[in-house]
Amino acid sequence: MKAKAIFLAESGSPAIDNAYDVDVRASLTAKVDLYPDYINRENAGLHADRIQDAEIAFSTWGITAFSEEELQRYLPNLKIVFYAAGSVQRFARPFMARQVSVISAWAANAIPVIEFTAAQILLANKGFYRAARHYKQSGEYREAQQITKSYPGNYGARIGILGAGMIGRGVIETLSRNKVTIDVFDPFLPDAKAAELNVRKTDLIDIFTNCDTISNHLANLPATVGILNKQHFDLMKPNATFINTGRGAQVVEDDLIKALREVPTRTALLDVTNPEPVLADSPFLQLENVIVTPHIAGSMSMEIFRMGQYMAEECERYLSGQALRFEVTPEMLETIA
């Protein structure tokens, strides 16, 4: 007899359809008894008598944040949630408090973020953003070349990585083929792992003072809100680039704006802001030395299929009694984004 499974999502959620495409859904249907309706806090009571024995749940972005009491009432036999997306901070704790395993596709979602970030760092080290803008605006070929010559390129550049979780480590490993020096700020990174990654552990002051490009991957936690502020941005080198694909709340944006205005040869590339989307009157949209992208570093378009596939593979491991690769632990909630 197949284990009973449900989707946790708003009715007609396009996110579910994107993450669990036709092929993935067919593979799931062959292995589990998949309930036809999507379940959420608003309709759980209507389906309560038919989902009481649900053992497995699948979800993605937009999952309903159930309370422990609601989980006990509607899903008393739930054992595991497969989440085809990255961060589980918003919903996971009530499930885990009831001994429900939470499996995240963070590893799948990390891949495009790593690719995006590494690409931006390599471009930043060559002065791509300033040189391209100047050449287009002025038509001055030689002047644009001189701008890029004031950057280190990707041989000998010093790069600062803030946070060495899965994404930060992936960026480090991707950049390791280049002759660059990588400094890392991460209080949770063991010295032995730092040595294995061939990076130097240091503090934020050191990184913002000495690095050519600085990339933020710190976990999105109360302790990291506003952690990047005036004392750091004011130290940035004249040609330094700050890249944020982490969370906007970690940046005191007024301090970053001031530092960018005072030294317009500095550059910021922001894939996230606080609030998000960026406000219509934000200086980020007016400053020429700021590149703002609409949160595109993570899985987009066909990349989303990878997350559903990862969760289908994890479900197969679960059903066959194999060890799971991407289970979230209570300890991980204190350090991951």
Side-chain angles (χ1 to χ4, degrees):
M1 185 176 179
K2 295 179 181 178
K4 189 160 187 177
I6 59 173
F7 281 117
L8 293 178
E10 299 301 322
S11 299
S13 168
I16 288 286
D17 295 335
N18 289 336
Y20 299 92
D21 67 356
V22 173
D23 292 338
V24 168
R25 199 172 291 221
S27 72
L28 293 178
T29 303
K31 297 177 178 69
V32 299
D33 179 9
L34 197 54
Y35 191 67
D37 294 295
Y38 296 172
I39 303 300
N40 51 68
R41 290 180 70 184
E42 286 66 37
N43 71 5
L46 299 175
H47 298 268
D49 59 336
R50 286 161 288 172
I51 61 174
Q52 289 279 308
D53 56 347
E55 176 183 342
I56 297 168
F58 298 98
S59 194
T60 186
W61 294 304
I63 185 174
T64 296
F66 286 92
S67 67
E68 289 184 51
E69 189 275 331
E70 289 168 331
L71 291 172
Q72 171 60 34
R73 187 189 321 159
Y74 303 129
L75 297 165
N77 293 295
L78 190 66
K79 291 184 172 60
I80 193 164
V81 176
F82 295 99
Y83 183 65
S87 176
V88 301
Q89 292 284 359
R90 188 179 64 83
F91 74 90
R93 285 175 174 82
F95 287 93
M96 294 169 71
R98 287 193 42 77
Q99 308 304 309
V100 176
S101 298
V102 175
I103 316 301
S104 167
W106 77 75
N109 196 44
I111 292 171
V113 182
I114 292 166
E115 295 169 341
F116 179 95
T117 304
Q120 303 311 319
I121 290 173
L122 294 174
L123 290 172
N125 288 340
K126 293 181 72 71
F128 170 85
Y129 305 108
R130 280 186 60 212
R133 183 177 70 246
H134 183 83
Y135 191 21
K136 185 173 183 178
Q137 291 176 349
S138 70
E140 294 291 339
Y141 177 85
R142 296 299 179 192
E143 288 182 5
Q145 274 199 335
Q146 286 304 119
I147 287 174
T148 197
K149 287 178 181 179
S150 67
Y151 287 78
N154 289 297
Y155 186 92
R158 183 174 290 275
I159 299 165
I161 301 295
L162 314 183
M166 179 170 286
I167 292 173
R169 293 184 192 186
V171 172
I172 291 166
E173 291 165 356
T174 301
L175 295 174
S176 64
R177 70 195 66 175
N178 300 282
K179 186 67 175 180
V180 295
T181 299
I182 300 178
D183 295 337
V184 173
F185 169 75
D186 189 330
F188 300 99
L189 179 66
D191 292 342
K193 186 63 179 179
E196 179 185 328
L197 291 169
N198 194 29
V199 300
R200 183 176 73 99
K201 287 178 62 178
T202 186
D203 57 42
L204 291 172
I205 297 298
D206 183 15
I207 285 176
F208 276 87
T209 301
N210 296 302
C211 288
D212 300 295
T213 304
I214 302 150
S215 185
N216 176 42
H217 306 283
L218 292 169
N220 188 33
L221 302 168
T224 63
V225 172
I227 193 172
L228 306 177
N229 52 54
K230 176 179 172 59
Q231 68 171 324
H232 309 112
F233 298 125
D234 284 355
L235 295 172
M236 286 173 65
K237 296 164 72 172
N239 285 349
T241 301
F242 173 71
I243 299 172
N244 192 9
T245 57
R247 289 292 185 271
Q250 294 160 357
V251 174
V252 178
E253 294 187 343
D254 287 345
D255 293 346
L256 175 58
I257 289 165
K258 184 172 181 291
L260 293 168
R261 280 176 168 158
E262 289 179 349
V263 185
T265 54
R266 292 167 173 161
T267 301
L269 192 152
L270 309 175
D271 191 51
V272 290
T273 56
N274 185 36
E276 190 175 312
V278 65
L279 296 176
D281 61 351
S282 171
F284 287 147
L285 296 177
Q286 281 81 48
L287 287 169
E288 290 190 345
N289 55 343
V290 178
I291 296 92
V292 184
T293 51
H295 204 146
I296 61 173
S299 297
M300 303 289 290
S301 303
M302 292 176 65
E303 295 168 338
I304 296 172
F305 299 159
R306 183 194 286 126
M307 297 193 294
Q309 183 61 44
Y310 267 48
M311 292 301 93
E313 291 169 0
E314 282 286 82
C315 181
E316 188 169 346
R317 292 187 190 97
Y318 168 76
L319 292 171
S320 62
Q322 298 179 56
L324 299 174
R325 298 174 61 195
F326 305 119
E327 182 170 2
V328 178
T329 65
E331 293 75 23
M332 289 170 63
L333 288 179
E334 302 306 315
T335 60
I336 63 174

